[in-house]
Amino acid sequence: MNFKGFILLLLFFNFYLASAQRNTIDIKGVVLDEATDEPLEYATLVLQNLDNPGVVNGGITDASGKFNIKTSPGNYIIRVEYISYKPYVLEKQNLQSSIDLGAITLTIDTETLDEITIIGEKTTVELRLDKKIYNIGKDLTVGGANISDVLNNVPSVAVDVDGTISLRGNENVRILINGKPSALVGFGSSDILQQLPADAIERVEVITSPSARYDAEGTAGILNIILRKEKTLGLNGSINTNIGYPTASQITTNFNLRSDKFNIFNTLGYFYREPPGSAFFDNSYTNGTYTRIIEERDVSRENLGFNVNLGMEYYLTKKSSLTGSIFARFSDEHETTENNSQRFAQNDINDITLRNEDQSEDDKSYQASLNYTNNFNDEGHQLTADFQYGYNKEEVITTIDENIIIPDNQLLSEEAVFETETQNEFLLQTDYVLPIGDKQFEAGYRGDFEKEVTVYQLDTLNLNTGEFEINQDLTNQFNYTENINALYSQYGDKTGKLSFLFGLRLENTRLKGEVISEYDADALQELLGEDVDLNFDKNYLGLFPTVNLIYELAEDENISLGYNRRINRPRGFFINPFPSRSSVINIFQGNPDLDPAYANAFDLGYLKRWEKLTLTSSIYYQRETNSFEVIQEETGQTTADGIFIIRSIPVNLSTNKRYGAELGILYNPSRKIRFNWSFNLFKFVSDGIFNDVDYGTENTSWFSRFSSNIRLPGEIQWQTNANYRGPRKNSQTRYDGIFFLDLAFSKDILSEKASVTLNVRDLLNSRKRLLSTETDFFTSEGELQRRERQITLSFIYRINQKKERNGRQKQNNEEEEGF
């Protein structure tokens, strides 16, 4: 077909649609909770035709509470219904043209509410143009758990034994809290997510094709963690306590006080844990005094922390509000590692050493935020403005001593490391949303200004004098500044069965690094290498387009297509050029010459809902340039006893291509049984050369999880979660597959005002990482277990709250796109 023929066909198609719709009218409006003004999703609109009583038309509301029903002109009874609410009825309406009913408010039917024990099982998967939303309120296995445990139960997401989070097998994930960067994930680390209680989460948004509203950071996509903020009038809240083995205890309180003019919300949490860990490594070397070293590590930890979040939302008018909140977190962590090493010369044991590492870490985080929201009308016309300031400080003191214990007792080395890292971050953001009929226009600005200061001091014991001396080569201060300014605009519409959202984001990034050392700069440059620039100032300007489409094949069936361009910026310890020691023979050195990596990603999805089953699936492709890879190489240096020192350093490899497919099934055969299964298969191909060594590799891997929730006799809930992460590898290291199983049992007591939950995480104690590394200069086989099987007993008491019921209680989704 030539171009002219295509245009004629398109004109004919538009004429056909116009003529087909000429005798139809639109009935639209929005359904809200009268007490909270929250939109009610899945409310039902029924149009009873009085001219032809046998004809009934209608539909349901979307996530914004909106409905738009097409029907023929005539006389109707209009009825709006929602479970546990009083119906809204308009009698004998003569509808001859399209009409907007505006805001329809429903009130709770108190006479029937208390009689309902289970309200319609709403699917735990919700699909938007640019995200999937997973509601985790009914996940029993997160009782007494932390945010990392919750994420490990979310499809497409995996959390390894080190707490590293990946999305579809890609670890470059941007983590947001309530849609914004947060002190909750200070310094970009996921470690803090292991310290915060799971019951503070309302839902997790998996955003594999982010719209232009979100910052472009994170080539894998975004995980947006939405925290709870109750909207019910009056005083309500909950107290959640738990104890566990190995030693673990936690108490969390959530309280809200809401009136017509304000809403005060508060969360307090305290935890204490002693999680043991262990590791085993068998290393073989081609050069040096020792040909083989076998390491056995025992790790004991003592972690405690306290966090508080206090905020108030003040309603300036019925349409506008001002929200302020203050967050603070304090934690003390103490970790002791005993490393027993058998060192071989050829095939015989030459000696046995004992290395003791004692590390104390003191963390403090503060965050203050202010939000202004103005809803100009009920159609979605909105202006929001945000200001946020975050401060993090980590102080780490590590003492290390290594002794030969066989054949004789001899001190090999003793070190003391002092590290202080501070971070100041300012965030300014404004977003404007303008509905134009069925269309929607958005625009906004975000400025993110961050400064990190890292002070590192290494003291070593002089074995001749018995005095500690400052290592002048490694002691330093590294200042890092990152400023990002971004403008975006996006436009969305729904034409027939097709919804689309097009966006474009412009980001300017400036990265500055400065090394300050009181000692010999020439010696420092020689240590790090002549090709390493100790001070840098880089500026990047990039355009990031996004395209998201959904086509409705039927009311309960659709396909989606997404495209986006993303960036992965080097930051933190990845660009700090000073080596840090995990041991005397293994160092990690950042690379200030790292440039950002860019990725183009495509995602094609399909969703189908039946009465008792929901299916989600997608295939995806991503091509990343300048991708990061951490490689290991010899430094040419040896320890005092002749062991070659190995360096790990991140580098820009040329490309990384990733292909994948995922499938998810949610099945509710009855009110007492729910099954959830997901599967993800992916392959990546990378290539690149560094220091004349080819680090190209190919890898195919997969992971899957299964969850079942069964109501036993006596109203006892039984949940099982099974997870498997398949083998994977990079250019130098292979990781074996990991399987682990979680169980939980829960019982409501005290007239549903309280619940008792017993859960066992990692029932088989099998969550261990088995790895093997092979290079030209050494090979290693290892096993690492960061956390052993955990048994937890939890008790939650609800104050002026019924047990949460999916289907009536609407989430406070402040990041919705409106489509």
Side-chain angles (χ1 to χ4, degrees):
M1 180 184 294
N2 59 27
F3 180 76
K4 290 183 179 180
F6 175 77
I7 294 296
L8 290 174
L9 181 60
L10 187 61
L11 290 173
F12 173 78
F13 181 71
N14 286 337
F15 175 79
Y16 173 79
L17 287 179
S19 61
Q21 297 178 358
R22 192 169 298 158
N23 294 323
T24 63
I25 61 175
D26 293 328
I27 312 298
K28 63 180 181 178
V30 60
V31 181
L32 306 173
D33 184 310
E34 184 181 58
T36 66
D37 284 334
E38 289 290 315
L40 296 176
E41 188 180 7
Y42 299 116
T44 304
L45 177 76
V46 179
L47 298 176
Q48 176 69 53
N49 194 322
L50 295 177
D51 301 322
N52 188 354
V55 176
V56 177
N57 195 3
I60 61 174
T61 58
D62 62 13
S64 300
K66 297 178 181 178
F67 60 85
N68 191 340
I69 309 300
K70 294 185 180 298
T71 190
S72 58
N75 295 298
Y76 291 90
I77 296 175
I78 302 175
R79 186 179 180 91
V80 180
E81 299 176 339
Y82 198 62
I83 295 176
S84 77
Y85 283 74
K86 295 179 180 179
Y88 175 90
V89 181
L90 291 174
E91 301 281 357
K92 298 180 180 180
Q93 300 296 305
N94 186 3
L95 305 178
Q96 299 300 323
S97 60
S98 297
I99 185 174
D100 186 350
L101 298 177
I104 297 173
T105 58
L106 302 184
T107 60
I108 292 178
D109 188 348
T110 57
E111 293 182 0
T112 61
L113 179 62
D114 290 340
E115 298 173 2
I116 300 175
T117 56
I118 298 182
I119 299 176
E121 287 287 337
K122 175 183 172 183
T123 176
T124 60
V125 182
E126 300 177 37
L127 186 66
R128 299 290 180 267
L129 267 171
D130 62 345
K131 73 187 80 170
K132 292 178 183 177
I133 301 173
Y134 295 93
N135 302 298
I136 50 86
K138 289 195 172 183
D139 192 344
L140 305 181
T141 58
V142 303
N146 55 54
I147 291 180
S148 284
D149 295 317
V150 172
L151 294 178
N152 208 48
N153 290 333
V154 173
S156 303
V157 181
V159 184
D160 69 13
V161 293
D162 291 324
T164 303
I165 298 168
S166 61
L167 179 58
R168 291 174 168 175
N170 189 343
E171 295 177 358
N172 183 228
V173 184
R174 179 67 158 164
I175 299 175
L176 303 177
I177 304 294
N178 294 331
K180 303 176 186 65
S182 174
L184 290 170
V185 288
F187 301 111
S189 170
S190 61
D191 293 344
I192 180 58
L193 300 181
Q194 301 179 36
Q195 302 176 12
L196 296 173
D199 53 15
I201 303 178
E202 182 176 288
R203 66 185 182 278
V204 176
E205 298 177 350
V206 178
I207 310 174
T208 53
S209 183
S211 69
R213 170 181 286 200
Y214 299 97
D215 58 3
E217 176 70 27
T219 55
I222 294 172
L223 291 178
N224 187 20
I225 300 170
I226 305 298
L227 303 181
R228 296 187 185 277
K229 187 173 69 173
E230 182 62 57
K231 289 270 185 175
T232 306
L233 287 172
L235 175 66
N236 58 83
S238 64
I239 301 174
N240 193 347
T241 63
N242 62 75
I243 57 173
Y245 178 83
T247 303
S249 60
Q250 180 176 299
I251 180 168
T252 306
T253 63
N254 294 280
F255 285 99
N256 287 80
L257 177 63
R258 172 165 177 163
S259 70
D260 293 332
K261 292 297 294 181
F262 63 83
N263 178 34
I264 298 175
F265 50 94
N266 170 249
T267 300
L268 293 173
Y270 172 84
F271 71 87
Y272 177 84
R273 303 188 186 102
E274 295 182 5
S278 61
F280 173 85
F281 294 95
D282 189 344
N283 310 305
S284 297
Y285 301 86
T286 56
N287 299 310
T289 303
Y290 299 98
T291 57
R292 184 184 182 192
I293 299 177
I294 298 177
E295 300 180 66
E296 293 185 68
R297 302 179 189 174
D298 287 319
V299 183
S300 60
R301 305 182 184 94
E302 184 178 17
N303 303 333
L304 62 89
F306 172 79
N307 61 82
V308 56
N309 185 41
L310 177 63
M312 177 177 177
E313 183 176 9
Y314 182 76
Y315 306 103
L316 302 172
T317 67
K318 288 186 177 181
K319 302 294 184 181
S320 63
S321 65
L322 190 66
T323 303
S325 65
I326 298 175
F327 167 81
R329 175 183 62 87
F330 312 94
S331 67
D332 290 313
E333 302 178 28
H334 184 244
E335 181 173 305
T336 301
T337 303
E338 290 187 356
N339 187 352
N340 188 291
S341 298
Q342 301 178 52
R343 309 197 297 189
F344 293 77
Q346 300 305 321
N347 295 321
D348 299 322
I349 294 180
N350 187 77
D351 54 58
I352 298 177
T353 65
L354 179 63
R355 181 175 185 268
N356 294 294
E357 179 177 335
D358 190 274
Q359 182 179 91
S360 297
E361 181 174 335
D362 181 38
D363 296 344
K364 297 182 178 66
S365 296
Y366 306 93
Q367 179 176 289
S369 60
L370 189 65
N371 166 266
Y372 170 75
T373 300
N374 191 343
N375 296 299
F376 296 100
N377 56 36
D378 295 326
E379 301 300 315
H381 187 193
Q382 184 185 72
L383 172 68
T384 62
D386 292 273
F387 168 78
Q388 184 173 287
Y389 168 71
Y391 172 82
N392 293 284
K393 184 175 183 179
E394 295 180 359
E395 294 179 301
V396 182
I397 300 176
T398 307
T399 58
I400 305 169
D401 64 79
E402 186 163 11
N403 296 268
I404 295 178
I405 57 177
I406 294 178
D408 53 17
N409 199 338
Q410 178 185 349
L411 177 64
L412 279 177
S413 65
E414 190 169 346
E415 298 178 342
V417 181
F418 305 90
E419 297 174 88
T420 302
E421 187 171 7
T422 57
Q423 178 190 63
N424 286 274
E425 183 174 12
F426 291 90
L427 174 71
L428 300 173
Q429 180 175 335
T430 181
D431 298 286
Y432 177 71
V433 181
L434 176 64
I436 308 172
D438 293 333
K439 307 171 181 61
Q440 183 164 299
F441 169 80
E442 293 187 44
Y445 162 80
R446 174 181 283 185
D448 201 343
F449 312 101
E450 177 183 327
K451 183 174 183 179
E452 291 183 13
V453 177
T454 304
V455 179
Y456 182 91
Q457 178 178 322
L458 173 63
D459 293 353
T460 58
L461 180 67
N462 187 318
L463 298 179
N464 295 321
T465 65
E467 300 289 335
F468 277 94
E469 299 175 352
I470 295 178
N471 185 313
Q472 298 183 5
D473 292 334
L474 295 182
T475 297
N476 69 93
Q477 177 177 316
F478 180 60
N479 299 334
Y480 171 69
T481 302
E482 177 182 285
N483 294 331
I484 303 172
N485 288 279
L487 294 170
Y488 83 90
S489 179
Q490 60 186 22
Y491 176 77
D493 193 6
K494 183 175 183 179
T495 303
K497 295 183 177 182
L498 177 66
S499 299
F500 65 83
L501 188 62
F502 299 149
L504 184 64
R505 189 176 185 91
L506 174 68
E507 289 194 351
N508 175 254
T509 303
R510 186 176 185 184
L511 308 178
K512 295 179 64 177
E514 179 187 19
V515 172
I516 300 174
S517 177
E518 300 178 4
Y519 306 105
D520 189 346
D522 293 336
L524 180 62
Q525 188 72 65
E526 182 180 354
L527 173 70
L528 301 178
E530 295 296 333
D531 57 339
V532 175
D533 189 1
L534 299 182
N535 301 294
F536 59 90
D537 188 348
K538 299 181 179 181
N539 200 307
Y540 306 94
L541 184 67
L543 280 173
F544 302 92
T546 62
V547 177
N548 289 287
L549 307 170
I550 289 184
Y551 184 79
E552 297 177 4
L553 300 172
E555 182 179 343
D556 49 13
E557 184 180 16
N558 62 60
I559 57 175
S560 61
L561 176 65
Y563 161 77
N564 63 91
R565 184 172 187 254
R566 310 286 294 166
I567 186 174
N568 181 12
R569 300 180 183 90
R571 62 182 65 213
F573 71 96
F574 257 46
I575 57 176
N576 188 336
F578 285 90
S580 61
R581 300 192 177 201
S582 58
S583 73
V584 293
I585 61 175
N586 291 285
I587 62 173
F588 182 93
Q589 180 180 333
N591 180 6
D593 290 331
L594 278 180
D595 290 319
Y598 294 91
N600 290 279
F602 299 85
D603 188 296
L604 178 64
Y606 172 76
L607 180 142
K608 171 68 175 176
R609 288 189 177 98
W610 291 270
E611 181 180 356
K612 296 182 178 180
L613 187 144
T614 298
L615 180 146
T616 61
S617 61
S618 66
I619 55 176
Y620 53 90
Y621 168 76
Q622 180 186 87
R623 184 178 185 271
E624 183 177 343
T625 57
N626 269 355
S627 58
F628 302 161
E629 180 82 21
V630 177
I631 60 97
Q632 294 178 302
E633 62 178 11
E634 287 185 306
T635 63
Q637 302 171 342
T638 62
T639 62
D641 50 348
I643 303 176
F644 278 88
I645 298 175
I646 298 169
R647 175 179 73 165
S648 297
I649 184 171
V651 299
N652 285 115
L653 290 181
S654 57
T655 60
N656 186 331
K657 298 177 183 178
R658 188 177 298 267
Y659 315 80
E662 62 182 352
L663 177 67
I665 294 177
L666 176 70
Y667 179 49
N668 298 321
S670 72
R671 290 171 55 184
K672 295 185 177 182
I673 301 175
R674 185 173 79 240
F675 299 116
N676 195 338
W677 175 74
S678 64
F679 177 82
N680 195 303
L681 174 69
F682 61 91
K683 175 181 180 179
F684 72 82
V685 180
S686 64
D687 62 79
I689 297 175
F690 181 74
N691 287 345
D692 299 323
V693 178
D694 187 354
Y695 292 100
T697 187
E698 292 187 13
N699 176 54
T700 299
S701 186
W702 59 280
F703 60 89
S704 180
R705 58 172 52 88
F706 172 80
S707 175
S708 67
N709 196 311
I710 300 173
R711 187 180 296 273
L712 301 174
E715 296 300 309
I716 296 174
Q717 293 277 1
W718 168 28
Q719 183 166 319
T720 303
N721 285 351
N723 290 264
Y724 180 78
R725 185 173 184 176
R728 56 191 177 93
K729 67 176 183 178
N730 56 30
S731 59
Q732 294 179 313
T733 303
R734 172 185 171 84
Y735 303 89
D736 289 357
I738 299 176
F739 174 81
F740 55 97
L741 186 69
D742 301 333
L743 291 180
F745 299 89
S746 180
K747 168 68 175 174
D748 293 336
I749 58 176
L750 303 179
S751 301
E752 288 193 2
K753 291 182 179 180
S755 301
V756 177
T757 302
L758 174 67
N759 71 56
V760 184
R761 287 192 295 278
D762 194 9
L763 176 69
L764 305 178
N765 202 34
S766 57
R767 197 175 180 186
K768 303 175 182 179
R769 187 170 69 180
L770 304 179
L771 65 156
S772 58
T773 300
E774 184 173 351
T775 72
D776 293 336
F777 51 91
F778 91 107
T779 60
S780 176
E781 301 284 338
E783 177 181 299
L784 175 67
Q785 183 175 28
R786 185 173 179 84
R787 188 173 66 179
E788 297 180 358
R789 173 176 48 231
Q790 181 76 46
I791 303 172
T792 306
L793 179 66
S794 303
F795 174 80
I796 181 170
Y797 183 79
R798 292 173 284 271
I799 301 171
N800 293 333
Q801 287 183 342
K802 282 288 182 179
K803 185 179 180 182
E804 180 175 333
R805 299 176 171 87
N806 291 339
R808 184 187 68 81
Q809 200 164 340
K810 180 70 181 78
Q811 297 92 352
N812 176 35
N813 188 359
E814 298 170 348
E815 288 294 316
E816 284 298 359
E817 303 296 342
F819 289 89

